[in-house]
Structures are given as structure tokens and as C-alpha cells.
Amino acid sequence: MSIAVIAGDGIGPEVVAAALPAIDAAANAAGVQVEWKQLPYGADHFLSTGETLPDQAFREIRDCADAVFLGALGDPRVPGNEHARDILLGLRFKLDLYVNFRPCVLLHPDLCPLKSNSQTLQRTIDFAIFRENTEGLYLGRGSVRNEGTPEEERIAEEVHTYPKVSRIIRAAFEWAEANGKNRITLADKSNVVPAHKLWQRLFDEIGDDYPGIDGEHRYVDALAMEMVREPERFEVIVTNNLLGDILSDLGAELVGGLGLAASANLHPGRAGLFEPVHGSAPDLSGKGMANPMAAILTGGLMMAELGHHSSARALDSAVREALSVGMTTPDLGGSASTSEVADWIAAHAREN
Ligand code: NAD
Ligand code: IPM
Ligand code: MN
């Protein structure tokens, strides 16, 4: 397998350097060899060369890589975030990775920040967010008038089209069916944004093809409330690009925080882009304190997607074991460093 690696900015290179040996350990234990091709793109490269993601590099990724593994992008020295837009959004759009799959699974009961409803309630949070990844507000369409004056006006266009809304909704139903889920929740704000009505129409139409799955609708504000009140009831949430971005950080926090949240950008049959949900965390950068588990679990999603299910399970189990013995970074209350946690997980992934 040949994997293109964009470590990126801030804690990106730290969690990537920690995660790759753990992923290798799980792969090698299953007889799989991974060839990592490190690419230099990120803020440093942009600031020194003016390049974000050159066309040639994009074509190589598209034509030669089995997947892309990305750390994080975002740097205070690039306040306009041009490089992240070209590299991260660029790869999502140009590779047409229309499914942003963000699972929220409680890997250890102590990680949930919510108080239980009763003494006996054992929380079992396990849902997946399907975030549309190729349109919505993320196209960045719009206009600016009278910039820098008291009459400044900025207009952002939110785009929802039949084929793109259809395919993400269908992907969510397909995954639900394949994974034995009974309920899908559609989130939008169609009471205020009429463009969101297309989602409800297509959700109902496509839902008819899946009679075993109960489709329900929530306005996103009420959904956010309900995710906190009773996260157990959700199985699959499907929503647009911006709302999915926001809900996935909320979902992450329900199960232990951004240090544990993995994600995959997918187009079935094509090379995917795998990245933790978290960003470059400039506040933690260079301190050896970043939690590498999100990157390692993201490696697990990548191995599963590439068909190496035993390696994926080994990574998942090793992370669960690390959590149960308290081998964690400070965000989870532990005192281990990024590399200590990752090395421990690598050693256990080898044995699993
Ligand atoms: P962030 O996710 O970087 O950090 C939010 C909070 O979570 C911070 O307190 C941070 O310390 C903590 N955190 C994040 N990852 C952690 C980890 N692995 N271990 C422990 N704690 C962790 O979000 P932000 O501060 O809003 O953004 C910082 C930069 O990252 C911005 O430039 C933003 O645009 C970018 N960003 C990039 C991506 C990406 O590349 N996929 C995702 C989100 C944000
Ligand atoms: C994410 C990030 C990105 C997004 C940013 C950095 C462009 O927040 O992957 O969740 O908004 O999609
Ligand atoms: Mn985000």
C-alpha cells in the first residue's frame, strides 16, 4: 500500500509521527506493508515557496496513492488560511470525496462528560455523522461590497444540489443498512433556510428504498440539544457541510474530546483522505502533549477502508486498552506524552 502523508501544521506533524509506527505495527502484524510517502505541504512550505498544493503533487496523489493521511492544517502565520483551503478543501473537492464520515463512539464510560440519568445507566454512545463534503457554504461563493467601510456587505452563497444531496443521503442509508442501524436523523435548518428543504424531500424519497430504517428529521438547534440530553438514541446523523462540521466537534466532546475523534473523507471506489477531526491546536504545538489517539483511530478507519479489518480492529482494541489503564495524555487526565501513548499503543497493536 502506498499512502501519501501530509503532516501539516502545529500538532499535525507530532500526531502523525506518533501514529505512523502504531499503524505500521498493526499492519505488519497482519502481514501488510505500508509505504508512507511524506509530502511537505503546509504552512511552512507555503510561507517559504508560495505553493499550497501544486498540480503535479495533486495528480500524483490522485493517480498513485491508495489513500492520503493528513495531520492538521492551520497556522497563525497564515491568517487567511489559504493553504488549508487549497490542500484540505482542495483534496476533498478535487477528489470528489463526498462522504465525510465521523464516528462518535464512547470507547470507555469515564470519557463521557455528561452526568448519567440514573445510577445504573451505562452510557453506550455510538453514532456516525455523515457530513456532505463537496458543497454547501464551503464552496466559498459570494461577494463583498464596500470592503473596509461602514457599509461593508458580505454575501455567502450556500449551494445544495439534487445529485450531491442525494448521494450523501444514500451513502448514509447504505451504511446504516450494512451496519445494522435502525434509525437515521436528518439535521437541517429548513425553517429558516429554504434551500435546506431539498434535503427533506430527498431524505423522504431515498428513505422509501430502505423500509427497515426509521428516518427522522430534526432542526439542527434541537438536535444539538438532544445530542447532549440523550446521545444514546442516535445511530446515524446526515447533514450538510457546515452543520456537519459543527456537530462533529460536539459529537467528539460527548465521547472524550477532539483527542479521540477520527474521520474519513470518502468516495466509494476511490482513494480516500483520512484525518483526525481536530485542528493544528497551536496552543499545544511543540509541547509533546497532543493526544495521538485521534490520528491512530483515523489510521484504523483507513486500514478498514483498504480492506485490512484485522489491523483496524487491533488499533481500536489497543486504544481501548490504553484508555482502560490510563495510558493517556493530559486532555484525558493522564500524564503521558504524545509518543509514550503512541508507543504503548503500537506495542499492544502488535500483540492484538
Ligand atoms: P483545534 O481542533 O486545533 O483545537 C481546539 C481545542 O482542542 C484546543 O484547545 C486544542 O488544544 C484541543 N485539541 C485539539 N486536538 C487535540 C489533541 N490531539 N489532543 C489534545 N487536545 C487537542 O481547533 P482550533 O483551535 O479552532 O483551530 C486551530 C487551527 O486548526 C485553525 O487554523 C483551524 O482552521 C485549523 N483546523 C484544521 C483542521 C484540519 O486540518 N482538519 C480541523 C480543525 C481546525
Ligand atoms: C474540519 C475542519 C475544516 C473544516 C477546516 C480546517 C477547513 O474544521 O475538518 O472539521 O471546516 O472542514
Ligand atoms: Mn471542524
Side-chain angles (χ1 to χ4, degrees), residues 11 72-74 81 88 258 275 277-284 290-291 331:
I11 63 166
L73 291 163
N81 219 19
L88 180 58
L258 286 171
E275 42 150 1
V277 174
H278 67 71
S280 55
D283 53 333
L284 287 184
N291 189 343
D331 55 308

Side-chain angles (χ1 to χ4, degrees), residues 258-271:
L258 286 171
L260 281 165
S263 88
N265 301 266
L266 304 169
H267 182 133
R270 297 194 190 173

